[in-house]
Amino acid sequence: MAKGPIHLPVHSLEHSPERGRARKSWPLAVIGLLATAAVLTSFPTSVTQLTSNATSSFFEGDLSVKKGLCEQAEPFLPSGYNVTKIWEEKDVIIKRLQEAIRIPTQMYDEMGPVDEDPRWKIFAEFHDFLERTFPNVYEHAKVTKTDWALVYEIDGTDSSLKPLMLTAHQDVVPVLPDTVGQWTHDPFSGEYDGTSIHGRGSSDTKSSLIAVMSALEHLFGTTDFKPRRPIILAFGSDEERGGQVGAPAIAKFLLEKYGKNSMSLLIDEGNGLVETWGQQFATPAVAEKGHVDIGITVSTLGGHSSVPPTHTAIGLISLLIAQLEAHPHQPTISEKSPIYEFMTCAATFAESMPAKLKKVVIKAGKGDKKAWKQLPLEIINTGMEGSSHGPGQGDPLRSLLTTTQAVDIINGGLKVNALPESVKAIINHRINVLSNHLELQERIETLLLPIVKTYNLTLNGFDGTTVFSGSPSSKVDLNLAFGYFTDPAPHSPVTLDDPAWNVLAGTSRGVWASRKEVSKDGSVVELEKGKDLVMAPFMSTGNTDTRRYLDLTPNIYRYRYTPMEGSAGAHTINEYSNANDLIEFTRFYQAIILNMDQSKDVA
């Protein structure tokens, strides 16, 4: 195995060209954001090819927007197989997730090299679990292990078709020992209470991994399914620390073997289904904010604490942090923001959307400059039904419309009677989609200048040059805390003239219109307006392993076909995932695999 992290480029120059050093009067970071007819006992070797027949649904409202943005694909499911049969394995799938949770694949920021740090070895147990649990998948797939990441290659009968790529990650955020007592269920018990499966990774994102694998295991085990289109499964090993090893190793492997733009469609973790303003929306994240961890180190002379200066190094770094927190990034939006795109779809389909917000959205769509200025705060102040935030967190809508900054780590001081000589803080930033890391760095340097001047500190910038020359014995150094950054990802296609989006949208709407609550036999039924599922572009506040896969396909969708209210606790206590949602999630994966396999339009 390779020694330590692989620092592959996190984007290609084609996707995110260098925009040069930002001007002194930086622009504040801009926009961000928040079946079929017959049940067969076996799948036919030669399946009748299905054309999606996507059609434009009604597009209502007085909106001056691109007409194609909110047009809805015709709901459809695979021909020749009823994906609702997966419900027969509900108990089996639940037990799989329970067992996956019981293997504590915790990922820490300071992990050592993959072949040296013993904490990586837990992944060997997880790999053994997967091989034992999914024998049919392992029989049909070529499995490659690289830096504890996993790649499954399932050949198709038509080598001219681009593979479908489905991804998840094996690792989970650690459970802090001091918080174990706050969990209502042991975090690694995988307890099932008859409604939900509890434990670390139940929602983020072992449920995705189990759903993908279960969908294929069932197909291979109960039918003679022979895919036309190749299928790639890719499960990263350290997504929860920024994907420094696993996803880069996967990207390197796939790019060397298949080349650029070689995948037809990529689905990873992300947003799910949300009911707001009287309408159910599917909200795949079609763009992703950038990510950079900024390190601030304050170095001063030491000495006995009985004769302290006015501010110790800890006091000085506190002033610097307070300066940044006193100047948060302002919420902004533009026509290119997925959040604006979602709002146009909501204005089109959601009858209960607040009238004032809808009016501002429509006016902005017509080019009203005042409306554009009002829109960010109107979105935040209005809020969004169905959205929520965890304890201790801020407003998710505000976060989607800004570059966020979170001071997460601070270290300094060794002894209570000795002045600290070096103190370091790490500030996590999620960069607004129309900004970049260079603009962020320039902004930080500019904001800190008044403080360093006031206290006569030398400020060394991100490129190593001196921004301000103060005392040679008291200095502030800025850097990238972990040596890498990710600029915002490009926007994925979201109109019906893109075949891959068409299949994703039509499949989602088909699964929704064939669920048990509305369909007796698993076929698609016609739903009245307001009861159907509307596909609408959206965005996540966080980042995923897809930042490493940008060269593999433009059709990247960070999307979980699960109701967002059905799970909670990711990255905090009491994580859980609804069991019925898990089965529907598996049914969705079966449907997307088969629909992509049958599509005549997707390359």
Side-chain angles (χ1 to χ4, degrees):
M1 292 182 176
K3 303 263 186 194
I6 299 175
H7 294 299
L8 293 181
V10 294
H11 54 70
S12 74
L13 293 179
E14 296 173 8
H15 295 307
S16 186
E18 289 293 335
R19 307 179 202 185
R21 193 157 179 80
R23 296 169 301 192
K24 287 293 179 181
S25 56
W26 71 89
L28 293 177
V30 203
I31 77 169
L33 216 290
L34 257 97
T36 153
V39 177
L40 304 181
T41 56
S42 65
F43 195 95
T45 304
S46 251
V47 186
T48 303
Q49 296 305 298
L50 176 69
T51 303
S52 64
N53 295 323
T55 61
S56 303
S57 292
F58 50 84
F59 189 85
E60 298 179 348
D62 182 19
L63 296 179
S64 177
V65 296
K66 298 175 184 176
K67 182 180 179 182
L69 180 63
C70 297
E71 289 179 305
Q72 298 297 301
E74 192 72 20
F76 67 97
L77 290 175
S79 65
Y81 184 73
N82 191 332
V83 294
T84 300
K85 287 176 65 67
I86 194 66
W87 274 91
E88 297 172 4
E89 293 199 358
K90 176 180 176 178
D91 292 342
V92 173
I93 296 171
I94 290 171
K95 288 178 181 178
R96 289 169 180 164
L97 180 55
Q98 288 180 283
E99 189 171 350
I101 292 168
R102 291 169 187 150
I103 304 172
T105 51
Q106 299 180 94
M107 181 52 51
Y108 301 88
D109 286 343
E110 74 285 1
M111 296 286 280
V114 293
D115 52 356
E116 295 179 10
D117 193 324
R119 291 176 293 181
W120 289 99
K121 292 183 179 179
I122 191 65
F123 288 94
E125 182 180 342
F126 193 75
H127 294 177
D128 290 342
F129 153 72
L130 292 176
E131 187 168 3
R132 181 178 68 253
T133 305
F134 301 102
N136 292 315
V137 175
Y138 274 76
E139 179 183 346
H140 287 80
K142 178 183 177 182
V143 183
T144 300
K145 301 179 182 181
T146 173
D147 290 350
W148 301 109
L150 293 169
V151 178
Y152 298 75
E153 297 173 273
I154 301 171
D155 291 335
T157 59
D158 188 344
S159 59
S160 69
L161 295 177
K162 293 182 178 182
L164 166 66
M165 185 172 172
L166 304 174
T167 71
H169 59 85
Q170 309 165 63
D171 59 308
V172 299
V173 295
V175 173
L176 296 176
D178 291 345
T179 68
V180 172
Q182 301 177 45
W183 287 71
T184 57
H185 303 267
D186 185 284
F188 295 108
S189 67
E191 185 173 339
Y192 174 48
D193 62 10
T195 301
S196 299
I197 304 105
H198 298 265
R200 177 61 82 224
S202 56
S203 65
D204 186 13
T205 181
K206 286 182 176 177
S207 53
S208 299
L209 191 154
I210 294 300
V212 170
M213 294 291 279
S214 294
L216 282 168
E217 183 72 12
H218 183 261
L219 277 177
F220 288 136
T222 62
T223 77
D224 61 353
F225 173 56
K226 295 178 176 61
R228 291 174 58 248
R229 182 182 302 277
I231 301 168
I232 303 291
L233 311 181
F235 303 144
S237 53
D238 66 335
E239 193 272 348
E240 296 296 1
R241 67 163 189 165
Q244 298 181 53
V245 168
I250 291 171
K252 184 175 185 294
F253 174 81
L254 294 177
L255 285 169
E256 288 178 351
K257 184 166 184 177
Y258 294 90
K260 288 188 175 184
N261 197 24
S262 54
M263 303 294 145
S264 59
L265 170 67
L266 191 160
I267 303 174
D268 194 17
E269 64 172 322
N271 298 332
L273 312 181
V274 58
E275 183 175 357
T276 187
W277 303 320
Q279 177 63 57
Q280 191 75 224
F281 289 94
T283 58
V286 299
E288 188 172 273
K289 300 175 81 173
H291 168 269
V292 63
D293 296 302
I294 299 299
I296 301 178
T297 302
V298 175
S299 303
T300 60
L301 297 176
H304 200 284
S305 61
S306 63
V307 190
T310 303
H311 295 289
T312 68
I314 292 176
L316 291 171
I317 203 168
S318 299
L319 291 168
L320 296 172
I321 291 170
Q323 172 76 348
L324 293 178
E325 290 197 338
H327 296 84
H329 298 256
Q330 294 304 302
T332 53
I333 199 168
S334 85
E335 191 175 20
K336 296 180 181 180
S337 168
I339 304 307
Y340 169 70
E341 293 173 336
F342 173 82
M343 290 297 164
T344 65
C345 294
T348 303
F349 291 101
E351 292 186 349
S352 299
M353 185 179 189
K356 184 178 179 183
L357 175 58
K358 183 174 183 178
K359 181 178 180 180
V360 176
V361 170
I362 293 172
K363 291 177 70 175
K366 293 180 177 180
D368 188 307
K369 292 182 179 180
K370 184 178 179 181
W372 278 114
K373 187 176 180 179
Q374 293 175 331
L375 187 55
L377 287 180
E378 190 62 38
I379 292 171
I380 294 168
N381 293 335
T382 301
M384 183 173 156
E385 293 177 3
S387 67
S388 61
H389 59 279
Q393 293 187 300
D395 187 330
L397 289 177
R398 179 177 289 273
S399 295
L400 289 168
L401 294 167
T402 64
T403 291
T404 59
Q405 57 186 20
V407 184
D408 292 322
I409 297 175
I410 187 164
N411 294 303
L414 294 173
K415 206 169 184 303
V416 73
N417 62 350
L419 298 174
E421 296 171 323
S422 180
V423 182
K424 183 174 183 178
I426 300 178
I427 307 175
N428 176 269
H429 292 82
R430 306 304 170 107
I431 305 172
N432 208 334
V433 293
L434 291 186
S435 183
N436 61 30
H437 75 287
L438 293 175
E439 291 178 353
L440 174 64
Q441 290 175 4
E442 182 72 20
R443 183 179 191 272
I444 289 173
E445 291 177 1
T446 304
L447 279 175
L448 296 185
L449 267 176
I451 304 299
V452 299
K453 288 180 178 179
T454 298
Y455 295 96
N456 194 33
L457 309 174
T458 294
L459 175 61
N460 296 318
F462 292 95
D463 58 3
T465 60
T466 299
V467 179
F468 177 77
S469 294
S471 169
S473 60
S474 299
K475 62 179 182 176
V476 179
D477 292 296
L478 303 176
N479 64 7
L480 302 182
F482 300 107
Y484 74 96
F485 66 90
T486 308
D487 273 340
H491 196 303
S492 301
V494 292
T495 56
L496 295 187
D497 57 5
D498 183 89
W501 169 261
N502 194 3
V503 173
L504 178 67
T507 301
S508 299
R509 285 166 54 79
V511 173
W512 177 259
S514 62
R515 66 195 193 281
K516 285 185 172 184
E517 292 83 352
V518 298
S519 176
K520 294 181 179 180
D521 59 2
S523 61
V524 174
V525 299
E526 186 174 352
L527 298 174
E528 61 182 283
K529 180 182 176 182
K531 301 297 183 182
D532 59 344
L533 181 71
V534 171
M535 291 290 291
F538 208 71
M539 206 172 97
S540 302
T541 55
N543 295 101
T544 68
D545 274 342
T546 59
R547 72 180 89 177
R548 315 294 181 177
Y549 304 146
L550 299 181
D551 283 330
L552 288 169
T553 177
N555 291 95
I556 294 176
Y557 303 99
R558 304 150 190 92
Y559 177 48
R560 289 168 52 90
Y561 183 88
T562 56
M564 294 180 74
E565 69 271 17
S567 62
H571 292 227
T572 185
I573 62 171
N574 297 327
E575 184 175 353
Y576 69 88
S577 186
N578 181 274
N580 287 344
D581 293 347
L582 174 64
I583 311 308
E584 279 295 278
F585 199 11
T586 307
R587 191 167 78 96
F588 165 78
Y589 273 122
Q590 255 192 7
I592 196 70
I593 289 167
L594 295 174
N595 276 344
M596 284 292 290
D597 200 66
Q598 296 175 12
S599 174
K600 294 180 179 179
D601 300 322
V602 182

